[in-house]
Amino acid sequence: NSATDKSAGEYENSATRFRNYEGKFPTVELKLDFNFESTWFNTDDQITSDIIADLPTGKVGKSIRSVRIWNKRGAETFFTMANIVWTVELEENRRILTLSSATSIDVFGCGPIIEVGIKFPRNSEQEQCNEIKPLGVTVDNKFHLPIWVESCSFPASIFVRPIAQRKTSS
């Protein structure tokens, strides 16, 4: 199987490049790092994952993997397991690769768009505010929680609310 790629300049020069995958597409290998999110928890935890290897890019569809998430808090190190969804989509002859949490919020019927937020318990009585922080909104009646939400070792509450529909004046 060969794929032909032409850029705008190549059309003028009538040059054609061929990529021969011989029926094999490359695979992806990645490692997750959640250190930037730890500012939400007022902690110095280091949260990383094992390497997620051999994620396919050739076949369109979804696959579920279980990944080990490591959390280093001070001298203590422990792990949790998180399920992730690897999605390969084809749009305008390009592959879209998405990694998301397997935990999702589904809205049944044709209801309104739902906003999803998260709230963590206060670490101490000195903390003034324990606000709900927005995570995002449903798309096509579905919202996948970010992977770092499943990966953090803190209890969390998930909040949902419909987004108010704006009235249009005619």
Side-chain angles (χ1 to χ4, degrees):
N1 296 349
S2 294
T4 304
D5 294 302
K6 287 188 176 185
S7 65
E10 290 175 327
Y11 280 109
E12 296 171 1
N13 298 332
S14 298
T16 303
R17 289 185 308 189
F18 290 97
R19 292 184 187 168
N20 189 354
Y21 292 111
E22 298 177 7
K24 295 181 181 179
F25 283 86
T27 58
V28 174
E29 181 177 276
L30 48 93
K31 184 175 181 175
L32 306 173
D33 185 338
F34 304 105
N35 292 337
F36 71 96
E37 293 295 350
S38 65
T39 56
W40 276 29
F41 314 124
N42 296 324
T43 183
D44 292 330
D45 289 10
Q46 295 175 349
I47 304 170
T48 60
S49 76
D50 285 346
I51 292 175
I52 307 166
D54 298 325
L55 293 169
T57 60
K59 186 176 180 183
V60 173
K62 295 182 179 188
S63 59
I64 296 179
R65 297 274 182 102
S66 192
V67 62
R68 187 177 309 196
I69 307 294
W70 293 94
N71 188 322
K72 183 176 181 187
R73 182 178 298 154
E76 182 182 7
T77 300
F78 55 94
F79 73 90
T80 59
M81 299 298 287
N83 290 325
I84 58 167
V85 176
W86 175 253
T87 306
V88 178
E89 298 172 297
L90 191 61
E91 186 175 298
E92 296 181 11
N93 207 22
R94 294 187 183 268
R95 297 199 182 279
I96 300 171
L97 310 174
T98 307
L99 183 69
S100 63
S101 167
T103 304
S104 66
I105 297 169
D106 296 313
V107 180
F108 297 100
C110 55
I113 295 173
I114 302 294
E115 181 180 24
V116 180
I118 190 167
K119 182 177 180 181
F120 295 99
R122 285 187 269 186
N123 290 338
S124 67
E125 293 299 320
Q126 287 81 24
E127 286 187 35
Q128 296 292 324
C129 179
N130 190 14
E131 64 191 54
I132 298 172
K133 300 180 189 229
L135 292 175
V137 297
T138 55
V139 175
D140 296 329
N141 292 334
K142 184 171 250 176
F143 179 81
H144 285 275
L145 291 177
I147 297 172
W148 63 264
V149 171
E150 277 196 65
S151 304
C152 70
S153 59
F154 296 95
S157 300
I158 302 296
F159 292 84
V160 296
R161 70 176 179 185
I163 292 181
Q165 300 291 333
R166 294 183 178 160
K167 295 181 181 179
T168 55
S169 56
S170 17

